[in-house]
Amino acid sequence: MGNENRLINALLKLHIALCLLFIFAPIAGSFVFSLNSDRFPSLPVGEFSTEWYRLIWEDPLVWQGFANTVVVGLTVAVIATLLGFGGAYTDFRYNFTGKSFYLALALLPPTIPVVIMGLAMLAFLSRVNLSGTTISVIIAHGVMCSPFAMAIIRLRLSQMDPDLEAASWNMGGNQWQTLRYVIIPFAKPAIFAALFITMAVSFDEFAVAWFVSGLNETLPVKILGFLQGQVSPRINAIGSLAFISSMTLIILAQLLLRSPEDKKQ
């Protein structure tokens, strides 16, 4: 029996290793070719060079796209987290008729194909004269990211003892004081994790931004423009930096969501 368990464990580890290799091999290749002096990705690789990073550093279009991405990402993170917290706390605190429908509707956007979401956002924002602006990207990304924030904070609140609220009320605290001094401190790790996750999702989102951004393109949309013009090695450099940024945000969120027991290990 022990031999079978060791065999199963070895096969599971091999499976995980192959999955990670399948996922990260293209990304590793992009890193390698972003530091390759050759214009086209080919083996064997050429000499080590940071030329492509220098070119994107000096490209005003890249900086414009990066600035739009940062502005949109930061704004969306704050808005989506506020909306997500409100939705999660409503689920935690109240029972009402149609609550299941409310939760299904609140968590629906990530399940909608991004092309359909982009077309729907374009149609709606065009009617209110917001299409083609940075605000339109913020609204679209806010709709997409709020369910992520709600799911993260909802999970955290589900771990809270409901009697803590009652104890606060019994000690004279009103609903706002209880929210400020009990609920929010308990949910703080999830709130910051939601900020980082929604920012990462906004940073990487392309399809919906392509429909609604107009001339205010985010960095992923700029990359499409480079691809349409010519196969440029700058894409590998931009992609590598974008991957590092997103992974940093996700790792920070994961660290914040670790349980106290995990942190002690």
Side-chain angles (χ1 to χ4, degrees):
M1 189 67 177
N3 291 333
E4 290 181 359
N5 289 336
R6 285 197 295 269
L7 177 60
I8 292 174
N9 290 336
L11 290 175
L12 288 174
K13 291 178 181 178
L14 177 62
H15 173 73
I16 294 173
L18 290 175
C19 289
L20 292 175
L21 179 64
F22 177 78
I23 294 171
F24 288 104
I27 299 172
S30 178
F31 273 110
V32 171
F33 291 122
S34 71
L35 296 169
N36 181 23
S37 60
D38 294 341
R39 182 172 182 82
F40 299 100
S42 60
L43 294 176
V45 296
E47 298 178 355
F48 175 84
S49 173
T50 58
E51 175 68 12
W52 313 121
Y53 288 93
R54 185 186 66 81
L55 289 177
I56 64 173
W57 179 268
E58 297 175 351
D59 191 338
L61 292 177
V62 172
W63 280 106
Q64 181 186 2
F66 178 74
N68 290 337
T69 300
V70 171
V71 170
V72 169
L74 291 174
T75 308
V76 166
V78 174
I79 293 174
T81 301
L82 287 173
L83 293 175
F85 177 81
Y89 182 66
T90 300
D91 172 47
F92 170 77
R93 177 68 183 83
Y94 302 102
N95 289 314
F96 51 89
T97 303
K99 184 176 179 179
S100 298
F101 177 75
Y102 158 77
L103 291 175
L105 191 64
L107 299 172
L108 179 64
T111 67
I112 301 175
V114 289
V115 174
I116 296 176
M117 175 70 79
L119 287 171
M121 283 292 174
L122 178 61
F124 169 74
L125 293 169
S126 297
R127 287 182 175 272
V128 294
N129 296 321
L130 286 176
S131 180
T133 65
T134 302
I135 296 176
S136 65
V137 185
I138 292 173
I139 293 173
H141 281 189
V143 171
M144 295 183 64
C145 293
S146 295
F148 292 100
M150 179 178 174
I152 293 171
I153 299 172
R154 184 168 172 248
L155 177 62
R156 175 67 176 174
L157 290 178
S158 68
Q159 301 168 357
M160 180 177 175
D161 187 349
D163 291 337
L164 288 176
E165 276 193 305
S168 174
W169 297 333
N170 291 335
M171 295 176 66
N174 59 35
Q175 188 166 354
W176 288 109
Q177 289 173 327
T178 301
L179 183 66
R180 178 180 178 183
Y181 295 109
V182 178
I183 302 296
I184 291 179
F186 183 86
K188 187 180 294 185
I191 291 173
F192 281 102
L195 282 168
F196 292 134
I197 288 291
T198 52
M199 196 182 305
V201 172
S202 177
F203 276 8
D204 293 336
E205 203 288 318
F206 153 74
V208 174
W210 183 77
F211 277 102
V212 303
S213 61
L215 298 177
N216 299 282
E217 298 173 334
T218 57
L219 196 57
V221 181
K222 291 285 186 185
I223 293 176
L224 176 66
F226 292 146
L227 283 172
Q228 290 176 332
Q230 57 182 333
V231 180
S232 173
R234 291 179 298 170
I235 296 172
N236 290 323
I238 296 173
S240 299
L241 294 176
F243 174 77
I244 292 173
S245 301
S246 298
M247 285 301 298
T248 301
L249 292 171
I250 292 172
I251 290 171
L252 288 173
Q254 185 61 37
L255 291 174
L256 287 169
L257 287 173
R258 291 176 65 192
S259 64
E261 292 76 11
D262 294 335
K263 294 178 180 179
K264 292 178 182 178
Q265 295 178 358

